[in-house]
Structure formats: C-alpha cells, structure tokens
Amino acid sequence: KSDKKKLGIALVGLGSYSTYQLAPALQDTQHCYLAGIVTGTSSKEKVWANRYGIPKENIYNYSNFDEIASNDTIDVVYVVLPNSMHAEFSIRAAQAGKHVICEKPMAINVAECDEIITACNRAGVKLGMGYRLHSEQYTQAIKEYVANKTFGAINYISADAAYRSMSNPGQWRLNKKLSGGGALMNMGVYAIQSVIYGTGENPISVSAQEFSTRPEYFKETDETITAQFEFQSGAVGSIMTSHNVRANRLFASCQRGWFELDPASTYIPLAGRTSRGELNFTQESQQKLQMDDFAKHILLETPNLAPGEMGRRDMVIVEAIYESISKGGQKIP
Ligand code: NDP
C-alpha cells in the first residue's frame, strides 16, 4: 500500500501505442498520471516535455534508465517497447524498485516470462500486463456469463484476432529478433485470451497450422495461424490470427444460447450481442480504465486484473502452438 493519492507512471518506448493511446489516456486517469518518459530518440524528449509538462529530471534514455531508482515521483514503469525488449526493461524496472506494467506479449518465450516474474517477486513490486480488455465492460460481461453459466455450459468457442499489414516491410513486427514471432505474438495473444475468458478454462491440448501466401513480405514471421483447442470440460475452441486477414471476433455457442463480440479486441468501440439481444455498454478509454485498475491494485489493494502469471500462461500456449505447427500437417492429395 502507498500513501500517495496518484501514482506517477513512466512510459518506456514512445512509439505509436504510447503516443496515441497511453499518453492521452493518462490525461484522464484518476489514480495515476504521466510523470516521466524513457526514450532512445532524443528529439522526442523536448516534444513530450512540452506537450505534457514533464520535468527534465523525469526524462531518461535506455542507458541511464537505471537511475530511475532514485526518483520518488516515478512509481510505475510501463514497458511499451518491441517484444524482445520487454524482459530486459521489466527486469531493470523491478530492480529499480518500480512497479511494472508490461505490454503484450509479455516476452518472446516462457523462460523470459519466468525471469520477469522472479525479478518482480524478489523486488517486492507489482506486475501487471497491458491486457486492457479486462478493465472493459463488454469483456467483463463475457466473464460474468461464463462465471454465472448464464447460457449454460460452453460447447464451442471461436476467436479471430487479425489485421492486414501491407505497409512498411521494415517494421519490427516483421523482424523475428525484435518481435519473437508474427501474427501469433501480436494479435494471436488476444485470440488466446478470448478463448480462455470465453470458457473460463485453460486449454489442455492444441493442434495448430500455419499458412503463408506472401512469403516475400513475411520473410521471418508467421502470416496466418489457426489452432484448435480442447478443454477439460469438453468444450472445443478454435482461433485464427493473421497479419494478412481482417477479423476481430469472439463467439461462444452454449448449452442454452450464444454470445458474441465483434469487434472483440479493438480499442473502441466494441460491440456485442447474445441470444437474448444486443449488448450496449458505455464506451470509455480502455487504457484509462486499465491503468487506473493497476494503480488501484497498488494504492487500494484491489485485485490485479491481469497479473504476470496470466502473461506467462499465454506464452505457454504460444509455445505449444508453435510446437504443434513444427510437427506439420497432412497434405490432402
Ligand atoms: P512502435 O514501433 O510504434 O514503437 C516502439 C517504440 O519502441 C519505438 O518508437 C521506440 O521508442 C522504441 N524502440 C526501442 N528500440 C527499438 C527498436 N530496435 N525498434 C523499434 N522501436 C524501438 O510499436 P508499438 O507502440 O505499436 O508497440 C510497442 C509494444 O506495445 C509492443 O509490445 C506491442 O505489442 C504493444 N502494443 C500493445 C497494444 C495493446 O492494445 N495492448 C497496442 C499496440 C502495441 P523511442 O523512440 O522512444 O525509443
């Protein structure tokens, strides 16, 4: 517990998500605020300092970042870097005594997730994932249907999380060293999340397939992946993730009806319906809700809606999917 009313957050990596979603959301948060920045691009320092009134002493780069340990105005470090840098900066933040929010995917393999969790436990700091949907009303409604068995047992769950990436072949998401993988590491994590909160269970087995139509563009990273899951309850699940298809949906067929979100994981607005009718919730910035929920977890000891263990669990499934793909499919003559 902290005596502060509002926690200071430092964003690490001032790319598009920090610039267009997180920093604007931090202007509306009640329990935290944008206190500092960490950037490798010196020209961004002045722009951000002017735009958000960030004092000079709260601006860091990747080399002097560890000095953040002695800065009492920064309580939380939010890692918004390319995936392969999540582990290093989450660990350095924990070692500096700061609470950590780590963007999805948590890291590029399970071993790195373990290292982040261990570092945070050792330092006695909180660890949350950037899984914004858990703070959002449509997703919370799905979780309630599942917990209350509103539509009975779930028999089938399907989730698609995909977008079409045509531009900029130089982007880090296509570079395996920086991304750790393609569509699965990026949007696939949302589809994995959907089938889990859409059933309330972790899958127990998977069979997965990878498809490539533009290998000249997706040279190192997966373009499209489908995977089928088995759950202990007898439910079956199916996901599709892609950098070559547009789709964003969660659908569950249940014993006594169905529920659906489409879109299911975009920022706003989400939309949904069930066999009983349309869903209609107020739309608020998911990032605002998410960062306030994490701050409340620290300040008021409310539950951590997306703990590090959840990020690790998803990475276990990512690795199982890649492993299944490596075993290959059966050609149809
Ligand atoms: P961008 O490419 O827009 O920004 C990444 C930033 O990281 C850069 O601007 C740069 O910031 C810094 N960086 C440091 N080293 C490198 C490097 N070698 N190559 C590229 N950038 C580098 O990415 P996004 O903002 O879209 O994504 C960042 C993270 O956030 C990813 O892990 C992604 O999965 C996650 N994300 C999550 C979303 C969500 O809804 N939860 C949505 C979008 C992204 P600087 O110049 O300040 O050093």
Side-chain angles (χ1 to χ4, degrees):
K1 242 179 164 167
S2 161
D3 298 333
K4 290 191 185 178
K5 289 265 178 301
K6 264 189 156 186
L7 299 179
I9 294 195
L11 296 175
V12 187
L14 308 180
S16 66
Y17 195 53
S18 288
T19 304
Y20 301 112
Q21 303 300 328
L22 297 176
L26 281 164
Q27 307 314 300
D28 295 327
T29 37
Q30 288 170 14
H31 302 279
C32 52
Y33 71 100
L34 179 59
I37 50 172
V38 184
T39 179
T41 309
S42 55
S43 59
K44 292 180 186 172
E45 294 182 7
K46 208 165 148 200
V47 174
W48 280 66
N50 289 341
R51 188 179 300 157
Y52 294 115
I54 297 168
K56 209 169 180 306
E57 62 273 18
N58 288 6
I59 300 176
Y60 296 87
N61 56 51
Y62 302 131
S63 315
N64 69 12
F65 170 70
D66 308 280
E67 293 168 18
I68 209 165
S70 60
N71 188 333
D72 290 337
T73 61
I74 313 275
D75 305 287
V76 178
V77 165
Y78 194 155
V79 179
V80 203
L81 292 162
N83 307 339
S84 67
M85 299 171 77
H86 291 184
E88 178 190 339
F89 280 86
S90 296
I91 292 165
R92 283 169 72 181
Q95 287 170 348
K98 305 303 177 186
H99 302 291
V100 180
I101 308 177
C102 178
E103 255 316 321
K104 45 65 50 179
M106 186 168 180
I108 59 169
N109 54 48
V110 175
E112 284 189 353
C113 297
D114 285 333
E115 288 171 27
I116 297 173
I117 291 170
T118 302
C120 289
N121 286 343
R122 268 200 198 129
V125 297
K126 309 282 193 191
L127 170 61
M129 292 296 303
Y131 285 149
R132 55 191 159 73
L133 295 169
H134 290 269
S135 297
E136 176 284 325
Q137 292 196 56
Y138 286 85
T139 306
Q140 286 175 347
I142 299 299
K143 288 164 82 172
E144 277 167 34
Y145 299 150
V146 171
N148 300 335
K149 295 205 176 352
T150 310
F151 299 94
I154 317 293
N155 301 128
Y156 175 67
I157 179 94
S158 142
D160 301 331
Y163 66 80
R164 195 162 158 80
S165 164
M166 294 295 285
S167 57
N168 191 4
Q171 62 179 297
W172 65 261
R173 284 187 174 83
L174 299 176
N175 175 329
K176 185 147 191 213
K177 203 161 173 286
L178 287 168
S179 62
L184 184 61
M185 282 282 182
N186 184 19
M187 297 301 285
V189 173
Y190 288 107
I192 291 169
Q193 281 265 309
S194 285
V195 296
I196 295 176
Y197 55 67
T199 57
E201 290 180 82
N202 293 345
I204 55 171
S205 77
V206 66
S207 171
Q209 307 79 32
E210 178 179 349
F211 305 94
S212 171
T213 62
R214 288 191 290 150
E216 70 285 0
Y217 186 72
F218 301 102
K219 291 190 177 83
E220 308 177 2
T221 59
D222 41 282
E223 177 185 319
T224 298
I225 283 179
T226 53
Q228 303 75 46
F229 297 107
E230 177 190 21
F231 296 87
Q232 192 75 54
S233 64
V236 288
S238 169
I239 66 166
M240 187 281 293
T241 187
S242 178
H243 278 161
N244 194 47
V245 176
R246 287 187 197 93
N248 198 289
R249 181 172 180 249
L250 176 166
F251 170 78
S253 175
C254 318
Q255 220 175 356
R256 294 191 299 275
W258 52 268
F259 54 82
E260 177 183 53
L261 297 184
D262 186 351
S265 63
T266 53
Y267 303 145
I268 45 174
L270 299 190
R273 56 209 65 78
T274 77
S275 44
R276 296 177 184 178
E278 288 289 317
L279 298 176
N280 198 354
F281 297 114
T282 41
Q283 306 269 356
E284 266 189 282
S285 158
Q286 297 167 5
Q287 290 80 8
K288 169 188 169 248
L289 296 170
Q290 169 217 325
M291 290 186 282
D292 265 342
D293 277 339
F294 187 68
K296 280 194 277 185
H297 170 57
I298 296 163
L299 291 170
L300 307 170
E301 297 180 343
T302 56
N304 186 350
L305 299 185
E309 288 71 18
M310 188 186 269
R312 181 194 187 277
R313 171 203 71 192
D314 296 343
M315 193 55 54
V316 168
I317 296 168
V318 164
E319 284 191 355
I321 289 172
Y322 282 134
E323 176 66 19
S324 171
I325 289 167
S326 76
K327 293 186 178 139
Q330 179 64 39
K331 283 250 188 286
I332 300 174

